[in-house]
Amino acid sequence: MHPAFSIIIFTTLSGLGYGLAALLGLGLLDPAQMATKAAHVIALALIGGGLISSTLHLGNPQRAWRAFSQWRSSWLSREGVLAIFTFVPLTWSAWLAVFESRWEPVIGTAGTLLCAITVFSTSMIYASLKSIDSWHSPWTPASYLGFSAASGATATALFAALGGAESLWPFALGAAVLVAVAWAIKLGWREQTGRPPLSTPETATGLGHLGTVRELEPPHMTDNYLTREMGFRVGRKHARKLWLIASVVGCGVPVVLLIGLAVAAGAPGGAATLVSLAALASLMAGILVERWLFFAEARHAVMNYYRGQLS
Amino acid sequence: MTSLPRHETPKKLGLVIDLDVCVGCHACVVACKEWNTGGYGATLSDQQPYGADVSGAWLNRVHGYEVMPDNSDGVVIGEAGEARVVHFPKSCLHCEDAPCVTVCPTGASYKREEDGIVLVDEDKCIGCGLCAWSCPYGAREMDLAAGVMKKCTLCIDRIYNETLEEVDRVPSCVRTCPTNARHFGDLADPTSEVSQMVAERGGFDLMPEQGTRPVNKYLPPRPRTPLSACAQPAVEDTADAAGFFGWVDRMLDRI
């Protein structure tokens, strides 16, 4: 599948935003701190920015409002509706933190729950597509939720350090554990992509009873929408290297940094902030590569009509 | 509404494509483009139509496949068994469980209750492309100029069009096919010509494992005489030559 830049940015940034907002909703950070107030605003900005970015790949973005109408059948529509709905408790919580320096448990946890459901519905857009084997699995929502929680927890640790939280180690350790869990889920996701494909050139043409089917004459000599959108080869060519880069940058580095932060929790605030910022930056870089691979490596059933083995 | 019709549609209009007869001339592809660029909805735009990197939206495409039987060693040999070239037209199959309809976030994609035709309401389409992702057959292509999704309408502006002569009230691809490889009809009616054809010839679904329940059916290529079983031209055999030619044959042998 073609890795559209706008969708990769949207899913990673809004994943981070929802993860951070979900943990802020649990009241883990002191709402009187300047850093916590900033965290609320930044979470909303990440979510909003991600949503706006997701409309950039539309052919007719001026009609995007229509996407709120088909929540009965469409996960994309559900995601849109839930995203708007989730803004209510999140904005409310942010208002309370920024202007009244307090945290309201009911509104906060309602926001947390809605954040999780929204990220789930984002992932179901992909997991519901039977035409793409590697996405059509419960591992897909699990890994989206895992990365959202991991990036949110790392961002929470950063804002805890910024706010000079008295005991920083639970934030750092919690984030390290969530990052490790997210990548463990992703490893499970990668394992399931090794399943034999649901469809083959033989089932696609119905000619399997006669023998092996190979494309002889393609219907068009240059690329078309289908081959551009559903076939993408660069990702597969470098998949192993990119996966290694993603796991080192996205998992190894942040886990080491966060555990270091937990161990040296008594260190001065400035250093703690820098280390947690480095952990978050590294994690997000790793998730970006992972998300790029998620699209670039995905093989669409229609490619069975187009020299399946090549694209 | 992008939910599928709750009950079986009373009619299931669709195509039956005969893979035994198609010669891969692409006339249906061109006729489809010609009719639909001036018909239902936005024109079917092309990008750089006169440039080096031509591309555009088409609703019907003809692939060509070679089918090669494996021998016992797993080596593919071109002249054994049923080896053959199959021309393979492909357009929207108007599935009963059309995933492209249910994924649509705006209600632009829908399946008609009365005849089962899957259509796009282009005034509602936002061009997100998710329907094209959900279709395992590649039946939908984005019109890059209009930013809306295009697909086969089964020439809805022909088949019910009473200003056309009755013979023309079939999809453009069917009307134009010079070898009669494409047939149009109601596949819900077991007595229809298309349903009978499917029953007699063992018409099949593409990718049944995707669970889309396509309405369009494909008829398999008929069994073919393998090359090895064909009568060999008797160029060197003059055993049955008699009369004058027998005499010439014997004389020339002696020289």
Side-chain angles (χ1 to χ4, degrees):
Chain A
M1 301 296 292
H2 173 70
F5 189 65
S6 62
I7 300 184
I8 292 175
I9 290 295
F10 158 61
T11 57
T12 49
L13 286 192
S14 70
L16 167 63
Y18 281 123
L20 176 58
L23 291 170
L24 289 170
L26 295 177
L28 297 178
L29 297 181
D30 175 8
Q33 288 290 340
M34 221 27 230
T36 311
K37 297 177 196 294
H40 274 282
V41 175
I42 288 170
L44 284 176
L46 286 169
I47 297 168
L51 284 174
I52 291 168
S53 152
S54 74
T55 63
L56 294 180
H57 78 291
L58 298 180
N60 280 288
Q62 77 283 6
R63 300 180 196 142
W65 60 273
R66 288 189 182 274
F68 299 120
S69 66
Q70 303 303 311
W71 48 270
R72 286 185 196 83
S73 72
S74 164
W75 279 106
L76 179 51
S77 183
R78 283 171 202 165
E79 184 214 30
V81 172
L82 281 162
I84 296 300
F85 206 51
T86 308
F87 268 118
V88 176
L90 293 192
T91 316
W92 197 343
S93 276
W95 177 279
L96 291 178
V98 172
F99 296 109
E100 300 178 23
S101 294
R102 66 193 180 91
W103 167 68
E104 190 62 54
V106 178
I107 301 163
T109 44
T112 304
L113 200 66
L114 279 168
C115 284
I117 301 173
T118 307
V119 172
F120 175 76
S121 60
T122 301
S123 67
M124 283 307 291
I125 296 171
Y126 308 109
S128 66
L129 299 177
K130 203 172 180 179
S131 51
I132 301 158
D133 286 336
S134 61
W135 295 358
H136 190 59
S137 153
W139 287 97
T140 300
S143 84
Y144 270 75
L145 285 166
F147 281 125
S148 180
S151 52
T154 310
T156 307
L158 168 63
F159 286 107
L162 260 177
E166 279 183 20
S167 57
L168 189 57
W169 71 267
F171 290 104
L173 193 64
V177 169
L178 282 173
V179 170
V181 167
W183 284 96
I185 295 171
K186 187 66 195 182
L187 203 61
W189 183 89
R190 270 189 91 78
E191 285 296 310
Q192 63 86 30
T193 60
R195 286 174 294 155
L198 178 63
S199 297
T200 61
E202 285 72 33
T203 66
T205 56
L207 299 171
H209 64 286
L210 296 175
T212 308
V213 176
R214 278 203 312 211
E215 188 172 42
L216 180 67
E217 292 172 305
H220 41 92
M221 302 316 289
T222 52
D223 269 345
N224 74 347
Y225 175 74
L226 297 174
T227 55
R228 279 191 298 262
E229 190 77 0
M230 320 293 177
F232 192 76
R233 287 164 210 163
V234 182
R236 263 171 240 133
K237 186 180 169 197
H238 299 296
R240 285 178 67 89
K241 281 181 205 164
L242 284 169
W243 169 244
L244 197 68
I245 290 170
S247 12
V248 171
V249 174
C251 184
V253 174
V255 167
V256 168
L257 288 176
L258 288 166
I259 288 178
L261 191 63
V263 172
T273 304
L274 276 180
V275 170
S276 46
L277 184 64
L280 181 63
S282 190
L283 172 67
M284 292 315 293
I287 294 179
L288 273 175
V289 176
E290 173 277 325
R291 202 56 48 90
W292 193 83
L293 275 177
F294 176 78
F295 287 94
E297 277 194 285
R299 190 178 179 284
H300 194 283
V302 75
M303 285 300 124
N304 287 309
Y305 292 106
Y306 289 95
R307 297 226 157 195
Q309 68 276 27
L310 291 183
S311 45
Chain B
M1 195 61 219
T2 56
S3 298
L4 289 162
R6 230 168 276 150
H7 306 288
E8 294 259 306
T9 54
K11 278 183 170 184
K12 294 176 191 170
L13 296 185
L15 302 176
V16 169
I17 294 169
D18 191 342
L19 296 178
D20 193 61
V21 172
C22 177
V23 294
C25 71
H26 292 249
C28 57
V29 177
V30 176
C32 167
K33 178 89 169 179
E34 188 277 333
W35 179 265
N36 284 293
T37 205
Y40 181 96
T43 54
L44 284 171
S45 73
D46 290 314
Q47 280 65 48
Q48 299 190 50
Y50 305 106
D53 197 17
V54 188
S55 83
W58 299 68
L59 311 182
N60 178 31
R61 304 224 185 226
V62 178
H63 294 251
Y65 297 103
E66 50 181 355
V67 191
M68 316 256 264
D70 289 317
N71 72 6
S72 54
D73 307 327
V75 180
V76 175
I77 29 174
E79 292 188 357
E82 287 288 325
R84 61 172 72 216
V85 169
V86 178
H87 303 289
F88 193 93
K90 183 168 65 66
S91 53
C92 174
L93 307 170
H94 298 279
C95 301
E96 290 185 58
D97 282 334
C100 56
V101 168
T102 52
V103 298
C104 175
T106 67
S109 225
Y110 63 105
K111 185 171 174 71
R112 280 159 55 105
E113 305 243 355
E114 57 270 39
D115 54 18
I117 298 179
V118 176
L119 286 179
V120 175
D121 178 346
E122 294 177 4
D123 291 335
K124 289 185 182 164
C125 178
I126 57 175
C128 70
L130 189 59
C131 55
W133 284 14
S134 76
C135 173
Y137 307 106
R140 291 176 168 236
E141 296 187 18
M142 184 88 79
D143 187 315
L144 295 181
V148 294
M149 195 55 74
K150 303 296 294 187
K151 70 176 293 302
C152 161
T153 66
L154 220 50
C155 284
I156 195 155
D157 45 359
R158 288 176 69 101
I159 58 176
Y160 294 117
N161 190 341
E162 290 179 3
T163 62
L164 298 179
E165 282 185 45
E166 195 157 355
V167 69
D168 288 325
R169 287 181 217 160
V170 293
S172 190
C173 58
V174 174
R175 185 73 182 96
T176 208
C177 179
T179 63
N180 217 17
R182 304 179 72 103
H183 307 271
F184 166 72
D186 179 11
L187 287 136
D189 173 9
T191 64
S192 71
E193 210 176 311
V194 281
S195 294
Q196 286 176 352
M197 216 179 281
V198 169
E200 275 167 34
R201 295 273 307 279
F204 59 84
D205 290 344
L206 304 185
M207 296 199 228
E209 68 278 6
Q210 293 278 346
T212 52
R213 298 200 296 144
V215 168
N216 284 15
K217 304 288 179 215
Y218 282 74
L219 305 180
R222 289 186 174 86
R224 195 194 69 165
T225 310
L227 201 58
S228 56
C230 291
Q232 298 299 314
V235 277
E236 296 297 328
D237 187 7
T238 54
D240 58 350
F244 174 70
F245 288 112
W247 176 81
V248 171
D249 179 48
R250 284 195 303 279
M251 286 303 115
L252 288 173
D253 275 346
R254 284 182 194 171
I255 299 172

